[in-house]
Amino acid sequence: MLRKLLISSSSSSSSVLSNGILRRAFPSLSSFSSSLSLSTSSYSSSPQTDTDPSSPNKDETEDTTILQPSLKISIDRSSLYTPPEHSHEPSSDSELVKHLKGIIKFRGGPISVAEYMEEVLTNPKAGFYINRDVFGSGGDFITSPEVSQMFGEGSSKFEKFMKSLNIHMVECSPTLKKLQYNALKCTEEVDTGSGDKTVVSMFGGAPVSWHATLEQVPSGLPTIIIGHEFYDALPVHQFQRASRGWCEKMVDVADDASFRFVLSQQPTPATLYLMKRCTWATKEDIAKLDQIEICLKGMDLTQTIAKRIGSDGGGALIIDYGSDGIVSDSLQAIRKHKFVDILDDPGSADLSAYVDFASIRNSAKEASEEVSVHGPMSQSQFLGFLGINFRVEALLQNCTDEQAESLRNGYWQLVGDGEAPFWEGPEDKTPIGMGTRYLAMAIVNKNQGSPVPFQ
């Protein structure tokens, strides 16, 4: 899946700051503040009442009464998941699989898709993003700046702007921190007076620091936040329409010890967010859907961003693949550039979902009256308004044939739609344009006016 990072950059002066697109950083998803507990310990654990979402006819025989949340929590605390004592065969499960099964057994019932996704991606020991480099042609996905230099150019030409930068990276992966350190060409400088060490980027001499959460980034000064291919990795909750109403889709362990999807038998905490999301859509749109995805973390994160921008000034730029409306069923797993089953070998594939830009817009407006939201517009339009067409023409004037081919391919991938019509190489390497699949949105303090691409 195509990815990049969330960067929060704040100034040591009163000027509004930003920074170029770098490597992607991932948040500590479990650390973002939330106004609602996501505990699933009160879910029914009776196997005969769990409904397989792949068998809709079975659900029609269930009680059609909407059940209320249980006031009692029944949890089997006897043990976490371990192979039966009488078994003399070693378990082939990975540590992450054992951990997930242990959570389900400890809870006495299934876990939400969101919790499964969060563990798979950011588990401190075995999460997909934690201990590996997942980028580039040798990884599991390629990011836009890796497609072409034209995506991230521009800021180095503004000398005063570069000198005022103070870069803050939000990152939970030790491996990716090292990659970012190298990508930024960082070095350590020692203050001769205090002896304190400061990490500085060789690109303009900007100081760089890393944080586990956005809340840890210093506030009180104008800030520009860049979230590029970031929201799509936040965990999503999935709901499916059943005869008794909307039921949350959960992950459970089947009789053969494999993972399976089931439906909750009563309303879950995430149902409150589903109700809020539905108020932002028309009844006609909701009636057309049998499944709905909502991103609680995305809604809460957007409100945190909007409140900070509203009080401190600055803005946020969000670029991701998604839609300007409610999302149905988009969660997917990619391993080595190929789609695989979401429940297959957890931790070995990237999980991502379409970004609900309408939800981001409404969450920002709800959080602060001091911000305005612009877009979304397609990535093709966004880069076009920033002058990518003129830039590619200028670069083509002074390059080799091989470089020209690379520029054309990169240009198409960034702004094109579908397969490149000019490609003459191997079919399995045909450039696929992301110009219309990716959208750009800006959240800015009203005192800053409208961002140039959105005017």
Side-chain angles (χ1 to χ4, degrees):
M1 208 37 46
L2 299 174
R3 305 254 183 240
K4 227 48 186 178
L5 71 159
L6 171 69
I7 304 172
S8 177
S9 50
S10 62
S11 158
S12 56
S13 65
S14 60
S15 58
V16 179
L17 305 179
S18 178
N19 59 284
I21 300 295
L22 310 172
R23 281 191 173 272
R24 176 186 182 166
F26 306 97
S28 176
L29 300 180
S30 60
S31 300
F32 283 118
S33 61
S34 175
S35 60
L36 184 64
S37 170
L38 301 183
S39 172
T40 56
S41 59
S42 62
Y43 301 147
S44 169
S45 61
S46 303
Q48 67 269 23
T49 60
D50 288 336
T51 304
D52 187 342
S54 63
S55 305
N57 291 333
K58 179 179 179 180
D59 184 72
E60 295 302 321
T61 64
E62 301 282 354
D63 183 3
T64 58
T65 302
I66 298 179
L67 302 178
Q68 298 299 317
S70 173
L71 297 178
K72 296 182 179 180
I73 298 177
S74 177
I75 301 176
D76 177 12
R77 302 180 185 273
S78 59
S79 67
L80 296 179
Y81 176 83
T82 55
E85 293 184 3
H86 63 271
S87 174
H88 299 287
E89 297 182 2
S91 171
S92 60
D93 287 346
S94 67
E95 290 302 314
L96 182 58
V97 169
K98 292 178 182 178
H99 176 67
L100 287 166
K101 290 180 177 178
I103 294 175
I104 293 171
K105 184 176 179 64
F106 182 78
R107 296 281 176 82
I111 59 176
S112 68
V113 170
E115 187 169 4
Y116 172 84
M117 185 177 178
E118 187 170 347
E119 289 288 345
V120 167
L121 296 181
T122 60
N123 179 274
K125 292 185 178 180
F128 177 76
Y129 295 140
I130 299 302
N131 300 311
R132 71 186 81 185
D133 178 3
V134 297
F135 300 99
S137 58
D140 294 272
F141 43 78
I142 300 176
T143 63
S144 295
E146 291 169 313
V147 168
S148 173
Q149 69 186 73
M150 293 179 289
F151 187 89
E153 290 183 324
S155 60
S156 61
K157 298 181 182 298
F158 302 94
E159 185 177 350
K160 292 183 179 179
F161 172 76
M162 291 296 293
K163 288 183 177 180
S164 64
L165 282 180
N166 194 321
I167 302 173
H168 296 269
M169 309 289 288
V170 179
E171 177 59 79
C172 69
S173 167
T175 299
L176 295 179
K177 286 181 182 178
K178 293 179 181 178
L179 291 173
Q180 293 155 10
Y181 186 97
N182 294 330
L184 287 168
K185 298 187 182 301
C186 289
T187 184
E188 290 188 354
E189 294 185 355
V190 180
D191 188 305
T192 55
S194 64
D196 295 336
K197 291 183 179 181
T198 303
V199 177
V200 176
S201 170
M202 298 303 291
F203 296 115
V208 185
S209 54
W210 279 262
H211 310 273
T213 68
L214 178 61
E215 286 80 3
Q216 295 176 0
V217 177
S219 59
L221 293 169
T223 302
I224 288 184
I225 298 171
I226 300 178
H228 179 252
E229 298 185 51
F230 176 83
Y231 271 78
D232 65 297
L234 298 178
V236 296
H237 292 258
Q238 293 187 319
F239 287 84
Q240 183 168 314
R241 191 191 298 274
S243 59
R244 61 183 179 276
W246 288 101
C247 301
E248 184 164 5
K249 199 172 178 180
M250 316 291 286
V251 177
D252 201 0
V253 179
D255 292 338
D256 62 358
S258 64
F259 291 112
R260 63 165 182 162
F261 288 118
V262 297
L263 295 182
S264 64
Q265 294 302 300
Q266 55 189 349
T268 62
T271 304
L272 295 178
Y273 282 78
L274 173 67
M275 294 169 61
K276 174 185 283 190
R277 181 60 188 89
C278 288
T279 64
W280 297 336
T282 65
K283 293 182 179 180
E284 291 75 17
D285 288 339
I286 299 297
K288 297 175 184 177
L289 301 175
D290 290 324
Q291 298 189 71
I292 292 178
E293 272 177 3
I294 58 170
C295 182
L296 278 64
K297 297 285 187 179
M299 295 164 73
D300 289 341
L301 173 62
T302 300
Q303 294 204 335
T304 299
I305 291 173
K307 290 177 181 177
R308 173 172 292 213
I309 292 172
S311 62
D312 294 350
L317 174 64
I318 301 166
I319 302 177
D320 226 312
Y321 75 104
S323 63
D324 189 15
I326 200 161
V327 178
S328 177
D329 181 20
S330 70
L331 183 60
Q332 56 192 8
I334 290 184
R335 183 188 302 129
K336 301 298 180 183
H337 307 281
K338 295 182 179 180
F339 293 103
V340 296
D341 188 276
I342 294 169
L343 300 180
D344 178 52
D345 194 11
S348 67
D350 177 41
L351 301 183
S352 65
Y354 265 46
V355 176
D356 180 353
F357 280 88
S359 178
I360 294 177
R361 178 174 58 250
N362 285 286
S363 295
K365 290 181 177 179
E366 184 181 90
S368 174
E369 296 181 353
E370 304 302 318
V371 302
S372 58
V373 183
H374 304 265
M377 66 170 58
S378 70
Q379 178 170 286
S380 178
Q381 292 174 307
F382 178 76
L383 294 177
F385 285 130
L386 290 177
I388 192 174
N389 296 330
F390 299 102
R391 182 57 176 158
V392 70
E393 289 296 333
L395 291 172
L396 287 171
Q397 297 300 317
N398 187 27
C399 64
T400 65
D401 291 343
E402 183 178 354
Q403 290 172 332
E405 185 69 13
S406 177
L407 282 170
R408 283 192 290 267
N409 292 346
Y411 174 80
W412 180 264
Q413 290 184 62
L414 292 177
V415 304
D417 181 20
E419 295 185 356
F422 56 81
W423 182 247
E424 297 179 355
E427 292 185 3
D428 61 339
K429 295 186 178 181
T430 302
I432 306 297
M434 61 181 76
T436 58
R437 291 186 295 117
Y438 280 68
L439 303 179
M441 173 178 280
I443 303 171
V444 300
N445 187 290
K446 289 181 177 179
N447 294 329
Q448 261 70 62
S450 300
V452 173
F454 299 92
Q455 290 176 346

